[in-house]
Amino acid sequence: MIVSIGQFKIKKLTLLPEFLKLSKQIYNQAQKSKGNLKSQLHNEGIKTFYSFTHWESMEDMLTFVHADFHGKALQETQRLCKEVSFLHYETDDLVDLKTAIKELKSSDETRVVKYN
């Protein structure tokens, strides 16, 4: 299975309502998507947020990534966030959020994108 963890740092608090609305829409989309085994949203304070999912396959995850609300979010990320970090990795077992965040922050495979 594929674990996907993303960290999003919001540019400014005035964008928070829009970010939260889009995050909820994406979460609902993930819950209904083929191959989704687990979805979770989490935050640290009011400017750092996490998306966390488990997928049966990379194909299922990529289909979700480019569809509907998530596809729209890809176009809005630069406007809403000052920094995003992503990590996707294979595992045989379900992973808890704390473990996934630790992997995100320590893995050499984590992709970090900073926006102005």
Side-chain angles (χ1 to χ4, degrees):
M1 95 185 67
I2 305 295
V3 170
S4 177
I5 180 81
Q7 179 188 61
F8 305 86
K9 295 183 179 182
I10 304 301
K11 277 187 180 178
K12 52 188 174 180
L13 289 178
T14 56
L15 296 171
L16 184 59
E18 185 178 356
F19 177 85
L20 292 176
K21 180 182 177 185
L22 190 55
S23 294
K24 184 63 173 176
Q25 291 169 328
I26 294 167
Y27 173 80
N28 290 337
Q29 175 190 341
Q31 292 288 87
K32 299 173 188 172
S33 293
K34 177 185 178 290
N36 180 266
L37 302 171
K38 179 179 178 179
S39 301
Q40 190 173 348
L41 299 175
H42 181 71
N43 65 293
E44 289 177 356
I46 58 173
K47 292 184 90 173
T48 302
F49 297 86
Y50 295 91
S51 66
F52 176 52
T53 52
H54 286 72
W55 298 93
E56 289 181 4
S57 70
M58 183 64 79
E59 181 182 358
D60 290 336
M61 184 186 80
L62 291 175
T63 298
F64 160 77
V65 164
H66 297 290
D68 301 326
F69 295 111
H70 195 283
K72 177 185 175 191
L74 292 175
Q75 299 169 2
E76 297 295 325
T77 303
Q78 184 172 353
R79 184 176 62 80
L80 296 172
C81 299
K82 66 180 179 180
E83 181 179 309
V84 294
S85 301
F86 297 100
L87 178 63
H88 313 294
Y89 61 95
E90 289 189 47
T91 181
D92 292 330
D93 301 309
L94 290 175
V95 175
D96 64 83
L97 178 63
K98 185 177 180 179
T99 300
I101 290 173
K102 183 186 274 188
E103 284 292 320
L104 176 75
K105 292 181 177 182
S106 65
S107 175
D108 292 336
E109 300 296 316
T110 298
R111 184 172 151 225
V112 178
V113 180
K114 297 182 180 190
Y115 302 107
N116 295 327

